[in-house]
Amino acid sequence: MTENNNSRLRLTIRVGRQTLAFAQTDGADETAVTYEPFVVKSGVSMAANLREAFKTNDLLLQTTTQRARVLIDTDVLVVPVELFSEDTMDDMMHHAFPDTAADAVAYNVMPYLNAVGVFAVNRDLRLVLDDHFRDVQLLAALGPVCHHLHQRSFTGSARKLYGYFHEKRLDVMCFQQNRFKFYNSFDAGRSYDALYFLLYVWKQLQLSPQQDELHLAGEIPDAERFGQQLRRFVQKVFVVNPQADFAQLPVAKVKGMTYDMMALLARGR
């Protein structure tokens, strides 16, 4: 009985730019979750922090599963599925993001958007993961967010622009049926920069200030004030409430959990 229970356990590791967190669920009920953030040491690589976590974190010390999903908050190159090739993805990624030249390259297929998300994985980080798990599934943090927001885009008749804030980054996306109409990522360390990027994309897509909708999710800087500033230019601005967004699932009530991790645990990749 114990072996059967352990075989159902699923461990999810979120590797952020400056953060590290772990969640464990029962495969029979992924909404019931044990969540533990890890205090990252500054000036130390994320691979070294993860290696230390395996020695000190209670959840990692107690887990017996050999499978792990690893959610990586990183830059993603979105490629139309008809233009994607495994033979050329490394060159495409390193050309688009030169800082990744020393990294390995992975990808996730987004069939609901007819696209592929290509992203880089630090080789030392991958080595630490392979040392501890037999089966490692790498996922870009953008994937579950796009999946969930794309489903939301079909509610109502208004066109929708989405802004997802995470670790001082802003992902801006818009969908047209089963494709991206727009996607880009921006440095959002300063709120007025984020304001400019959102309004610039809004204008570029020729969205209506009166009829269309702007939805914001994630770690929005000073959310109430930021929303007020946007409403000077766009009438319908909505801040996503995770508890309402995920239909009151327990995972949405976990303090400190990022929106992308909630989306993965609640809705899948």
Side-chain angles (χ1 to χ4, degrees), residues 13-22 35 38 40 44-47 49-50 70-75 120 122 125 139-141 164 166-169 219 258 260-261:
I13 300 174
R14 186 186 188 279
V15 181
R17 299 165 193 268
Q18 305 292 333
T19 61
L20 190 59
F22 313 102
Y35 173 76
F38 182 77
V40 171
V44 179
S45 72
M46 198 56 70
N49 273 288
L50 181 58
V70 184
L71 196 62
I72 302 177
D73 188 345
T74 186
D75 292 319
N122 178 273
L125 178 69
L139 300 171
Y164 174 50
H166 55 111
E167 299 198 44
K168 297 184 179 181
R169 299 287 295 175
E219 304 161 3
T258 58
D260 48 60
M261 201 172 196

Side-chain angles (χ1 to χ4, degrees), residues 31 62 67 89 109 123 151 166 176 189 220 246 255:
T31 62
Q62 294 170 10
R67 300 181 303 155
M89 69 176 188
V109 179
R123 293 183 187 275
Q151 291 178 325
H166 55 111
Q176 187 168 24
I220 306 165
F246 298 120
K255 185 178 180 180

Side-chain angles (χ1 to χ4, degrees), residues 70-255:
V70 184
L71 196 62
I72 302 177
D73 188 345
T74 186
D75 292 319
V76 177
L77 177 64
V78 176
V79 182
V81 69
E82 62 270 18
L83 300 179
F84 173 76
S85 169
E86 290 189 28
D87 295 334
T88 59
M89 69 176 188
D90 288 45
D91 290 340
M92 292 177 66
M93 185 67 194
H94 298 326
H95 178 75
F97 300 97
D99 291 346
T100 67
D103 296 332
V105 176
Y107 70 92
N108 300 145
V109 179
M110 303 178 184
Y112 47 92
L113 285 167
N114 293 295
V116 179
V118 183
F119 58 101
V121 182
N122 178 273
R123 293 183 187 275
D124 291 337
L125 178 69
R126 183 60 200 257
L127 183 61
V128 175
L129 292 166
D130 290 340
D131 284 344
H132 289 85
F133 301 106
R134 183 178 65 250
D135 181 8
V136 176
Q137 181 185 27
L138 299 173
L139 300 171
L142 176 69
V145 174
C146 284
H147 188 191
H148 179 59
L149 296 182
H150 174 249
Q151 291 178 325
R152 288 177 100 258
S153 70
F154 288 100
T155 60
S157 59
R159 293 177 295 176
K160 300 173 182 66
L161 183 68
Y162 294 96
Y164 174 50
F165 291 83
H166 55 111
E167 299 198 44
K168 297 184 179 181
R169 299 287 295 175
L170 169 63
D171 293 326
V172 182
M173 62 199 81
C174 182
F175 309 106
Q176 187 168 24
Q177 296 301 319
N178 295 322
R179 290 197 178 264
F180 280 104
K181 185 173 184 178
F182 180 91
Y183 169 75
N184 209 341
S185 183
F186 304 95
D187 183 350
R190 295 174 293 191
S191 61
Y192 53 82
D193 285 340
L195 185 71
Y196 169 80
F197 294 135
L198 285 166
L199 293 175
Y200 180 80
V201 175
W202 185 274
K203 182 178 180 181
Q204 185 179 5
L205 296 178
Q206 298 182 327
L207 297 173
S208 167
Q210 291 77 36
Q211 301 299 323
D212 296 324
E213 300 174 358
L214 176 57
H215 295 253
L216 308 175
E219 304 161 3
I220 306 165
D222 195 358
E224 184 175 348
R225 182 171 177 270
F226 190 74
Q228 290 175 349
Q229 291 176 321
L230 281 170
R231 289 185 186 96
R232 294 168 53 200
F233 308 97
V234 177
Q235 183 173 324
K236 297 180 180 179
V237 178
F238 304 93
V239 176
V240 175
N241 180 337
Q243 291 192 31
D245 211 29
F246 298 120
Q248 302 296 326
L249 293 174
V251 68
K253 301 177 183 178
V254 178
K255 185 178 180 180

